[in-house]
Amino acid sequence: MPIPYAGIAQFPTLRLRRMRRDEFSRRLMRENDLTLNDLIYPLFVMEGKQQRVAIASMPDQFRLSIDELIKEAEELVKLGVPAIALFPVVPPAKKSLDAQEAYHPEGLAQRAVRAVKSNFPQLGVITDVALDPFTTHGQDGLIDNTSYVMNDETVEVLVKQALSHAQAGADIVAPSDMMDGRVGRIRQALEAAGFKNTQILAYSAKYASSFYGPFRDAVGSAGALGTNNKYSYQMDPANSDEALREVALDLQEGADIIMIKPGMPYLDIVQRVKTIFNAPLFVYQVSGEYAMLKAAAQNGWLAESAVMMESLLSIKRAGANGILTYFAKAAAQYLQSTREI
Ligand code: PBG
C-alpha cells in the first residue's frame, strides 16, 4: 500500500513521537489488539484418572486424564477462552498399521470430546484429524511396503475418524495430515451423515517443520517416527506460492477456516494468505515456538509475559483471526490481570 502523504508533511511539522509520548494516545492509535476472542488452547489428553503429567519439553503443559481435562476446561470457560483443541496420547498397545483406533467410537479423543461437551456445551471443541497418534510408525497416514504414505487409502480412514469426532460432538474437525483431497471427502461425508454445521478447520499450509519436536514428545509419536520425516506430505519450508494453492484447494473443497502452521517463522505466509483470500484464518504457534520462549524465560533471558504477548500480537498483526497457542491460558490470565477500565 502506498503511504499517501509521504514526502508532503515533514519534520518538524510531523513528529511521529508525539503520539507515542502518552499511554492514552498510544492506546487510541493502536492498530491491533490481542483479545480473549483470539485464543484457542491445545490440550493433551491421556488415559487414566487424576493424571496430570508434566511434559518436559513444554514447561507448564501437561498430559491430562479426562477428569483433569474437565477441571481445566472449567477454568478456561471461567477465563473466557472460546475453544480448545484436543490431542490424544494413545497407549502403544492401541497403535497399529491400519490405525483403526483413530475412529473407535469409544476412543480416547471421542470420550474426551463427549465429556467436555456434556459439561461445557458453550466451549468450542476442535479435534485433530490425522493418524500419527494411532500408527505404529508415527506417520500421519497408512504406509505401503516402501514406507510411502498412501494418499487415497489414508483419506478413507481420515473420513471415518472425522465422522467419529462429529458423532462425539466435536464442533470443529481439523485435518492436520496434509493428504490431498481430504477436506472435500470429509465435507461430503459430514453432509451425508447430517452434520451440516460441523466446521472444518483445514491445516492448509502445514510445513514440514522442525518446530514440532516437543509436540511429538508430548503425544509419544517421536519414538515411533525415529529418524523418519514427513517431507512427502508436509510442505517444504522454502515455499510460499505453494501455500496459496493449498489454501485455494481447501476453501474450494469446503473448509470453513484455513490454518497456517507454524506461526512466527511463517508470518509472511499468514499475511499473503489473509490478503489474497480474506477468509477466516487461524495460526498455530507450535510446540517448538512455545518451548523456545519458555526456555529463554526460565533462564531469565527474556521477560515471559512480555514476549508471550508480543509473539501473539505479531501473529494477529500478520492477519490471524485465531491462534492455537500453548500460551492461551496464560495469555487469558494476563489479559484479565491487566484489563484496562
Ligand atoms: C499431527 C500434528 C502435529 C502437530 C499438530 N498435529 C505434529 C506433526 O505433524 O508431526 C504439531 C503441533 C505442535 O508442534 O505444537 N498431525
Side-chain angles (χ1 to χ4, degrees), residues 6-312:
I8 299 171
Q10 282 175 2
F11 177 84
T13 316
L14 200 58
R15 287 180 184 270
L16 293 182
R17 289 185 56 195
R18 267 186 223 123
M19 286 293 286
R20 292 180 202 145
R21 194 187 67 175
D22 301 312
E23 174 65 6
F24 85 87
S25 56
R26 288 197 295 268
R27 281 174 64 197
L28 288 172
M29 74 174 285
R30 190 158 292 152
E31 296 172 39
N32 294 283
D33 272 303
L34 185 82
T35 77
L36 283 174
N37 301 336
D38 302 312
L39 300 172
I40 300 155
Y41 196 20
L43 286 165
F44 300 100
V45 54
M46 65 182 288
E47 295 288 0
K49 287 208 162 56
Q50 295 179 5
Q51 298 292 320
R52 197 177 169 85
V53 181
I55 301 163
S57 52
M58 301 176 71
D60 298 329
Q61 304 301 313
F62 300 87
R63 303 185 188 92
L64 304 171
S65 52
I66 291 178
D67 51 341
E68 293 290 323
L69 173 68
I70 297 304
K71 291 185 201 162
E72 191 73 28
E74 184 173 5
E75 279 187 60
L76 295 168
V77 168
K78 282 191 185 140
L79 281 167
V81 173
I84 59 173
L86 292 177
F87 295 94
V89 183
V90 178
K94 296 259 169 82
K95 300 185 190 227
S96 61
L97 278 173
D98 60 11
Q100 55 171 286
E101 183 64 15
Y103 52 89
H104 197 303
E106 291 301 319
L108 179 55
Q110 290 82 352
R111 277 180 284 130
V113 172
R114 262 188 245 114
V116 173
K117 289 306 293 185
S118 65
N119 282 280
F120 305 105
Q122 71 275 45
L123 182 64
V125 173
I126 304 172
T127 55
D128 194 58
V129 177
L131 304 184
D132 50 316
F134 307 99
T135 54
T136 40
H137 44 72
Q139 295 287 5
D140 288 26
L142 308 181
I143 57 172
D144 68 13
N145 55 18
T146 68
S147 291
Y148 181 72
V149 174
M150 301 184 288
N151 193 85
D152 303 12
E153 293 79 354
T154 298
V155 172
E156 298 298 320
V157 185
L158 296 173
V159 167
K160 290 186 203 172
Q161 186 185 24
L163 273 178
S164 78
H165 292 171
Q167 262 144 15
D171 300 291
I172 307 182
V173 293
S176 71
D177 54 286
M178 292 299 282
M179 297 303 117
D180 286 323
R182 88 283 204 216
V183 171
R185 295 296 310 278
I186 291 171
R187 174 56 76 210
Q188 286 162 12
L190 289 172
E191 282 287 322
F195 296 108
K196 295 192 176 68
N197 287 318
T198 304
Q199 300 169 27
I200 299 178
L201 163 62
Y203 285 70
S204 300
K206 177 172 178 179
Y207 286 87
S209 171
S210 298
F211 286 98
Y212 308 149
F215 174 97
R216 292 178 190 170
D217 291 339
V219 297
S221 63
L225 197 61
T227 55
N228 293 320
N229 59 55
K230 302 190 177 184
Y231 299 162
S232 82
Y233 45 104
Q234 297 181 348
M235 275 185 53
D236 184 341
N239 294 352
S240 171
D241 291 345
E242 190 188 5
L244 305 181
R245 302 181 73 197
E246 285 285 3
V247 167
L249 269 177
D250 286 351
L251 287 171
Q252 279 163 1
E253 289 178 29
D256 301 284
I257 311 157
I258 46 183
M259 182 141 74
I260 311 293
K261 175 185 177 190
M264 282 219 298
Y266 294 85
L267 294 186
D268 57 324
I269 312 296
V270 176
Q271 192 180 35
R272 274 191 95 186
V273 166
K274 189 62 192 178
T275 309
I276 291 173
F277 294 96
N278 207 19
L281 172 62
F282 289 179
V283 169
Y284 202 142
Q285 182 182 49
V286 302
S287 56
E289 298 177 71
Y290 176 81
M292 283 195 302
L293 296 178
K294 286 297 271 195
Q298 285 186 339
N299 274 296
W301 297 337
L302 287 174
E304 178 161 350
S305 297
V307 287
M308 166 180 80
M309 295 306 284
E310 184 178 337
S311 69
L312 295 172

